[in-house]
Amino acid sequence: MKVSVLASSLIGSEIIKIGNEVNEMKRKGAQIANLTIGDFDPEIFPIPEELKDGIISAYNAHQTNYPPADGILPLRETVSEMLKDRFGLEYSTSEILISGGSRPLIYATYLALIDPGDKVVFPAPSWNNNHYCHLTAATAVAVETDTENNFMPTAAQLKPHLKGATLLALCSPLNPTGTMFTAEQLAEICDVVIEENHSRGLNEKPLYMMYDQIYSLLTFGVDHVNPVSLRPEIRDYVIFVDGSSKCLAATGVRVGWGFGPADIINRMKALVGHMGAWAPKAEQVAMAKYFGQKELLDKFLSFFKAKIQESLNALYNGFIELKKGGFDVDAVKPMGAMYLTIRINYIGKSTPEGEVLKNSADVNFYLIKEAKVALVPFSAFGNEEDTPWYRASVGACTLQDIKHLLPRIKIALSKLK
Ligand SMILES: Cc1ncc(COP(=O)(O)O)c(C=O)c1O
């Protein structure tokens, strides 16, 4: 059937492809440790009880009609207070937009700023910028990062690509790496953005920065930094993406918020409105109440973060042990989010059946079959197929599952020649 060029040229998600393979094997009875999805298993990581009760109460109180297009005022007030309290950021309720999770905010940021052919610069690895570029016919410029900087982009790496660009898409803590910007690294990037904007004429579109901080409350002892606190002068050019999906394990609840200059936020509000991508009203009512109770949130976060960190550390330590044991693997110390960056340098090796593992996808499928462990290669995040790095997400496994998968990886890797 004939469909639009856009629809027929959409790139399928490699993560979903791996997920389908895992599900098919599970259907046949295999027990697989699924470290692929950036989601939480609610049996292992439930949302806060008080939030769940708040959502049920809001439905019982008939909070079931259309919410205002930019979100209910009490939630925008709560977000405004939280931004001030936790990050020292001053954003009024007219500079905040609520939507159905944070994805509509990312799409709306692109739609509000990008004309076909406009240049969007983002690091590789990063999450989904290639897809949003495709949706908006942007010219995507993926800038490869390196282990030396924990896969976070540096000003020196980005600067050569910023001339004439419309959007620089950044994220910290970063999906897929679980690593974060230092204040110094981010301040240097802000400076090159400011410098680029100073060089542009009054009628030229400026260089904007999208700063995705959806994991900002999931950090393990490292301070989250943001561009506006570091360089207040950049405020007019920064659109923040944030929300409740990850910090409350509430990926299915769908409440996100974005903030930035009122003019851009208003245009994003119109775009989100046309999509009808608002957060459900009852969830907004409950979220406003929940985030208003600082102590409750802190208590949940400290328990939740400790549990994620325990899993990440177990996986990290396990890989460092393998490395010490002579295996060609490595891992980057987890800093935030729910991800661990793992190196498994076995491309080019042969399986006992004599099959050569040609790329990271082959290594991954070998581990799925032999070790019953599924990861996501960085090629799914914009890197080349021969990159030996993988993302492990710990939200859908218990600590026990993680402890049990390590010996299986050891056996599977030992069989490769
Ligand atoms: C960096 C990043 N931003 C945004 C999102 C989307 O979050 P939401 O579920 O709120 O749409 C994700 C989800 O995986 C993410 O990793």
Side-chain angles (χ1 to χ4, degrees), residues 15 34-47 103 127 175 215 218 244-254 304 308 311-312 337-339 376 381 391-398 402:
I15 307 176
N34 190 358
L35 303 178
T36 63
I37 45 169
D39 196 4
F40 296 97
D41 178 339
E43 299 291 331
I44 305 167
F45 293 102
I47 62 169
R103 269 163 238 237
W127 178 81
N175 178 5
Y215 299 99
L218 295 185
S244 62
S245 295
K246 309 291 176 160
C247 61
L248 298 185
T251 48
V253 177
R254 309 310 299 148
F304 180 48
I308 297 173
S311 290
L312 286 172
M338 58 215 266
Y339 308 115
V376 181
F381 303 102
R391 180 188 85 172
S393 173
V394 298
C397 285
T398 62
I402 287 172

Side-chain angles (χ1 to χ4, degrees), residues 37-39 99-106 126-128 132 170-176 210 212-215 241-246 250-252 254-257 338-339 391:
I37 45 169
D39 196 4
S99 87
S102 72
R103 269 163 238 237
L105 298 163
I106 301 176
S126 70
W127 178 81
N128 271 5
Y132 290 107
L170 300 177
C171 175
S172 181
L174 179 66
N175 178 5
M210 184 178 80
D212 184 337
Q213 56 167 32
I214 188 103
Y215 299 99
V241 171
D242 206 335
S244 62
S245 295
K246 309 291 176 160
T251 48
R254 309 310 299 148
V255 183
W257 47 87
M338 58 215 266
Y339 308 115
R391 180 188 85 172

